[in-house]
Amino acid sequence: RDTGGGGGAQAGECERVAPPSVPAASARPAPEAPKADASGLKVGLAYDIGGRGDASFNDAAAAGLDRAVAELGLQKANTREATAQAGESEDAGTNRLRQLAQGGFNPIVAVGFNYATGVKTVATEFPNIQFAIVDDDTVDLPNVKPLVFAEEQGSFLVGAAAALKTSTCKVGFIGGVDNPLIQKFDAGYEQGATTVAPQIDVESAYISPAGDFTGFNDATRATEIASGQYDGGADIAFAAAGQSNQGVFAAAQTAQKKAVGVDSDQYNSPQLTQVRDTIMTSMIKRVDVAVYEYINAVAGDTVAQLPARFDLANNGVGYSTSGGQVDDIVPQLEAYKAAIIAGQIDVKSTK
Amino acid sequence: MTDERHAVELRGITKRFPGVVANDGVDLTVTHGEVHALCGENGAGKSTLMKILYGMQTPDEGTIVVDGADTHFRSPADAIAAGIGMVHQHFMLADNLTVAENVLLGAERLHGIGRAARARITELSATVGLAARQDVLVEHLGVADRQRIEILKVLYRGARTVILDEPTAVLVPQEVDELFATVRTMQGDGYTFLFISHKLDEVRAVADRITVIRRGRTVGTADPRTVTNRELAEMMVGSELPSPETRESTVTDRQVLRVEGLGLASPDGGRDLLDGVDLVVHAGEVLGIAGVEGNGQTELVETVMGMRRHARGRVLLNGTDISAASTMARREAGIGYVPEDRSRHALLGEQPLWANRILGFQSRPPIARRGLLDTAAARTDTERIVRDFDVRTPGIDVMAAALSGGNQQKLVVGRELSGDPVLLIAAHPTRGVDVGAQAGIWAELRRARAAGLAVLLVSADLDELIGLSDTLAVISGGRLVGTADPATVTPEELGTKMTGAAT
Amino acid sequence: MTAVLDRARTLPGWARSALIAAALVAVLSVTVTLTGQTQLTSGGTASAAVRLGLPILLAGLGGLWAERAGIINIGLEGMMVLGTWGAAWAGYQWGPWAAMLGGLVFGALGGLLHAVATVTFNVNHIVSGVAITLLGTGLTKYLATLVFTPVSQNPRQSPRLEGFTEFSIPGVAEGLAALEAQQRVFVSDLAGLLSGLVTGLTPILVIGIALVPVSYLVLWRTAFGLRLRSAGESPVAAESLGVNVVLHKYVAVTISGALAGLGGAALVLNPGQLGYLENQVGGRGYIGLAAMIFGNWRPAGLLVGSALFGYVDGLQLRAGGEAVHALLYGATLVAVVVAVLWAIRRMWTAAAVALVAGLLVYAVYWSVDTVPSEFASYAPQLVTLIVLAAASQRLRPPARLGEPYRRGEGR
Amino acid sequence: MSRLRGAVVAPVLAIAVAALLCGVALVISGASPWTAVTTILAQVGSGTVVVDTVNSAAVYYLAALAVAIGFQMRLFNIGVEGQFRVAACVAAIVGGTVALPPVLHTVLIMVVALLTGAAWVAIPALLKAYRGVSEVISTIMLNAIATGLIAYLIRAETFGELRGNNITTPPIPESGWFPGIPVGNGAIFGMVFVAAALGIGYWFLLGRTRFGFELRASGESATAAATGGVNARRTIVVALLLSGAVAGLVGLPELLGRDHAYTLSSPQGYGFTGIAIALLGRNHPVGIALGALLWAFLDKSAVALDVVGIPREIVLIMQGLIVLSVVVAYEVVRRVERRAEQRRVAAAAPAPQPAEVSS
Ligand SMILES: Nc1ncnc2c1ncn2[C@@H]1O[C@H](COP(=O)(O)OP(=O)(O)OP(=O)(O)O)[C@@H](O)[C@H]1O
Ligand SMILES: Nc1ncnc2c1ncn2[C@@H]1O[C@H](COP(=O)(O)OP(=O)(O)OP(=O)(O)O)[C@@H](O)[C@H]1O
Ligand SMILES: [Mg+2]
Ligand SMILES: [Mg+2]
């Protein structure tokens, strides 16, 4: 019987579009801000579920703090970290922030959009304390700085990388939880892939629907989705699934295919050394940069000059090259990057 | 002192339960090869004594000597090893296991669980007259077969001393005769029996020696060839046997309950549980239903109470068709109900007595009005029942489970007779109740009957049935197969009708 | 036709099962042919079903052991969670075999606790199970924070442990793969489904599946098993025959916990997981219990239940809403076949109900193009619910399941 | 009197044992139990902890009441979790969509929540009553399915709206809020009083009404209840519907008093907490209230433990241990009481001494 299986493989050769060329001047990333002295600050950090050590964005925030300690003269003793619990009520988050505020910490960084209401409440109560919130820009208060990212831009680049590297003209996306944040990765990835190879087949799947957070912790099911995509003809899959990513990498290893990591340079993650060869590149979301820059700006009193959004232009997002697997296509990727920075390509955050 | 000829010797056995001294220094000597009967009223402590001998309960004081050796049983396994087997008052069978599994259980070491074991079971089946296949589930078997399996279990374990705790309670006279024949043959083969029964005629017929126990103490031993029933009874209760006989007829011609063509299909698709049952109970009449257990009595009663749905036929109460009514509606229409198993069907064990008074009356005055309960009224009325029916309790706030069985039953009968019912359905109203309470319950039934109550009585105690009833109907296989006149019928004749041997 | 049916009714059990299985494969085959959803019968789906079904199977076996002895074990979830920790802890230090042992031991400890509460203290079984799940989850998180953080820098994850190497049955695996690739109706479908059973195997998988017949043999063919089951059917009778009911209940519930713990280990050792992750059990203990009830408290039945669960889950993960949509088509076919069978037996109402159900499912199939991912994700739970609703009245739990038992206090 | 003593002794004993075991666990892990205790106790006066505790306790109280109604009849409504979430989501959607004058609006939202909770539990209730499906299994399955349903309802394409990286239902206008009582920095939810009123209603229902009696009777002995004219099917269905309806309210204190919209990050797990608290409070309205307060307090103070560097999972262990030891303690106390009562009964009705009979 004819089953129509095999997907993109039937589409034959994958035709690729040449990258746009952009005058270098209009696409240069912004230079880093000068270092201020943070030795007088007491910094509080409230993590989302997972906390320090999650090898994901909480960890990135922690790295930003650590860098501030290392480079800005911030005293380790003057920092305090607290972590959210799965399924907790909003007042728990609020309370966590309030306790940090009462403990004299200033600034206080809340990691994750779950803290939106908490930040709003506590920032109103403590107008003299500076707050920052990662991944949320809904709190409109003078003492609150949103630290949000253009995830879609970074994802665009890894999508482009996948399209340049695929030999089956079919790539996959695996999201942890089907929520708007992860959908941004999905949308950017797909746009990047189709921009490079218009006929490419992008298959996307999520481990769990919105509101069911198990998707970030279920490597077993991630493996099954990934191997389903690999069996279906995809040869590269982008995993934006938190801890479940390791399941995708394992599937890639079994199927002898490639995967793309997320948030940090997962090739260098000590947890993932056995499977690092499958990690072609990672889409990097520099929460560490944002946190570091924020602390730096508070110390130097330049918060107003921080970018409204961390994107390619200010190195807030990007892609990694560790392992050297994408070295051959760096010029094309850089060209796309320049085009995005220059505004020639507008990356959408929804499909 | 220790005599080698004695199969079993119990010395000074004392067993206390919370609130009761079940055995109080009991002595018992059983010689090899005899059938030794134990007599005593309900709650005298017979079963407890036997359970101690069988290792199911440990005595607080006293010693057990088997074949001249002092023993100490920690579990039935020890007793079985010492050659003692017990057939319990209540069947100890797992319905969902096969005949073979029930027999093998716990004795797998003897012949394994394979072919050798099956062969042995087949061999012993003949001895006890069991015809059922070994791999049939026990749930498909009748009472007599279950009894045979119980005895088979004991024999399979190689017991030489067999305890039979009220083995005849659920058997009809013919089956009793068969059982006794088996007992005698085995006695000839050298088995020793300990036999418990309330039926004094049986005891005298089968036993070589009788020991009487009262209130946990040995009263004495008697010789069945010389002792009379009356003497035995006096030893047991210290007073004359009460009689269930009804004095004068109070039957009227007003029909209270009329059942027409009642039928009930078996849920598992087997033979109908009830089929074409017609009966009428008049005001002031006691209609007794006689039958071997498991022939549809329970189903009949529960169908009339509306607890079994999807029945065929009609049930009329005072001329009104109540076939479709719920149990509650039937109760409200004036039916009182004393179910056969009081602890499971009539009482809330963990609730105080006054809350138990509400059960079944939660929808009508004086206990309830418009969905709200009147606890004060419930309490007052419970006080009345405790007083009028002589329920022995320190108060109405104790939980029902703390009362003795007889007192629980009095409470239930009192409750069901309150609210002026027109019909009382009583299933085994004095089962497991001691003689004193029994007399009290009989008296209450007679009083209510004289006041015009119609009573549908089911009982396995043929004396009670004959004594209380104005009319007798015999049920067999879910059909009413005959009637009898309680004034003239004897228990033996009734038993014959019940087994269908006469038709 | 009727004669054939009558003969079918008198067939031995295994032959009937084979017949039903063949019929189901045929239904799937027709569905694949008509909907083009090859994933329905692909070897990959079958492998996924096996991998996803394994932890559920082990939890279900755990449930079986406890419930056959009369103890409801809703604490399986907590015991599995304990098992994941134990497996990861032992596994990262001493390898995969140690991981299995670690899971086993930690699960068994949970089981033992359940036994103490339910057998010795007569606590309501469900209450104790809920409490143990609560405690197991808390304890595991605490231990993970304490023990794993120093080595993995992450309180919610263990260090990666070495897994088992996968193997396939040589010869058979390639043959089936070749057959599957030919895409012939029925033959290739069967080959695809079977190839899941011969490729990508690991020792724990083989052990897990072997535990099904082993459980059957032990529980139904040994003296110990007879005693254990008697404790669930009629503890009083068992006691009166010298069986140590309390001991058997203890052993059963401890084994139950051990099996659940092994299920946790299976999760930890699953290819792709290779470590402890907080919340990775995600309700699989409960699903194992459901699979066991689905399987009518029998090993073969619960094998089918967990396979079904693994299959539907694997299918929706690999192929998404479209494949679940195609399953609706298959369900319609099944309903029609069942309706015809019942009609032949003159069970008119049953046949009508089946037909109406079939039509309803078909209406859903016809009116949507795909099952929204939000529902497709929970297809296994939906299927379980529907099957239980349809079949629950034929179930036969142990007679004294969930009832308190005290030594020497039986009537 | 002795019953009251039992009801108090058991939980106190259990909490003491649990605390002791936790202390041991802390010492083993190298932390100081003393710091833990002082940190937890210091919470009483700090910030809005007291207000938050009361507010959380109200939520837990509702959840536990929902569970307890089922427990009375030995029905294990494990599905309170799913019922409360579906109800909160649907109520938030309706509340955010309609425009109504103040009180009416709030009442409508509450009614919608009640009905949705009841509707979601109707599935297992009917399956239990008519098909004999164990409610434990069916409600567990439905909890998972509820997550899917909510995800579907809250999609931007259906009823949800995007707010930053979150999805929420349309915000409920102020007319639909349930005003609270400001205390310090926080506010006690108005729904706290609804919860308290429900507690009284629960007590009245169980102790004073025919339905409550039938419910308890069915729970204690299904067979005796049937003989007593209780319609088992109807009681099962009504009990579960009531339980589901109360479960439907669980999400409302936070929805109407603080969040005003249902979002992806709305809290979960209250259903399971409710089970634990119902067990802790022995299904008694006052016991549940105390249990809810204790639980909420432990929860809130756990946040502080983190800040002083003690693994706050110790609180989870503590909660688990408390539940387990409380149920064991209740069982032991119950047994002792029963013995005592039987002894008392036997003493009140002494057996007549056997008369001397010679043979
Ligand atoms: N397990 C138990 N716990 C507490 N009390 C018990 C227990 N078993 C028996 N009893 C009490 O001990 C006394 C003796 O009971 P036993 O069953 O031995 O009487 P019996 O002579 O066999 O009576 P029956 O003729 O009714 O069988 C009774 O008061 C009974 O209620
Ligand atoms: N399971 C049990 N646990 C504790 N006590 C029990 C138990 N069963 C019976 N009893 C005690 O046995 C006594 C009588 O109960 P039972 O149901 O055995 O009635 P009975 O022996 O028929 O009573 P009687 O013949 O004296 O009316 C009660 O006082 C009760 O305390
Ligand atoms: Mg008795
Ligand atoms: Mg007895």
Side-chain angles (χ1 to χ4, degrees), chain D residues 47-141:
Chain D
T48 57
V49 167
V50 172
V51 172
D52 290 341
T53 300
V54 171
N55 285 342
S56 262
V59 174
Y60 293 164
Y61 190 63
L62 287 170
L65 277 188
V67 174
I69 293 173
F71 271 176
Q72 288 290 353
M73 194 179 166
R74 307 252 162 104
L75 287 171
F76 293 91
N77 183 2
I78 313 280
V80 168
E81 177 72 12
Q83 291 140 27
F84 107 77
R85 294 184 58 216
V86 170
C89 180
V90 172
I93 290 170
V94 172
T97 316
V98 302
L100 277 176
V103 176
L104 217 58
H105 198 166
T106 312
V107 170
L108 174 79
I109 295 175
M110 291 174 65
V111 170
V112 169
L114 278 171
L115 292 180
T116 313
W120 193 244
V121 87
I123 303 167
L126 295 176
L127 283 179
K128 168 90 181 177
Y130 292 93
R131 304 291 307 166
V133 179
S134 153
E135 77 284 2
V136 175
I137 297 299
S138 59
T139 53
I140 288 172
M141 297 297 133

Side-chain angles (χ1 to χ4, degrees), chain B residues 51 54 56-57 75-77 80 88 90 92-94 96-97 101-102 104-109 113 139 153 157 341, chain C residues 68 220-224 226-227 229-230 233-234 236-243 396-399 408-411:
Chain B
K51 284 182 185 167
Y54 187 57
M56 281 187 88
Q57 270 159 355
S75 81
I80 291 167
H88 294 268
H90 308 276
M92 296 274 188
L93 295 169
N96 200 19
L97 299 185
E101 285 177 329
N102 268 290
L104 285 176
L105 181 59
E108 303 88 349
R109 253 171 237 131
I113 56 170
E139 65 182 345
K153 271 162 51 174
R157 282 157 178 75
D341 181 346
Chain C
R68 276 289 166 191
W220 272 270
R221 290 281 175 266
T222 66
F224 166 70
L226 175 59
R227 291 171 177 219
R229 282 185 298 130
S230 74
E233 295 290 348
S234 178
V236 181
E239 179 189 288
S240 78
L241 295 175
V243 174
R396 175 87 198 241
E409 293 197 4
R411 283 198 304 153

Side-chain angles (χ1 to χ4, degrees), chain B residues 42-44 47 89 342 432:
Chain B
N42 289 119
S47 298
Q89 188 170 355
R342 62 178 168 262

Side-chain angles (χ1 to χ4, degrees), chain B residues 153-173:
Chain B
K153 271 162 51 174
V154 170
L155 298 189
Y156 188 84
R157 282 157 178 75
R160 302 300 296 170
T161 304
V162 181
I163 304 166
L164 300 172
D165 192 350
E166 294 199 34
T168 58
V170 290
L171 301 182
V172 294

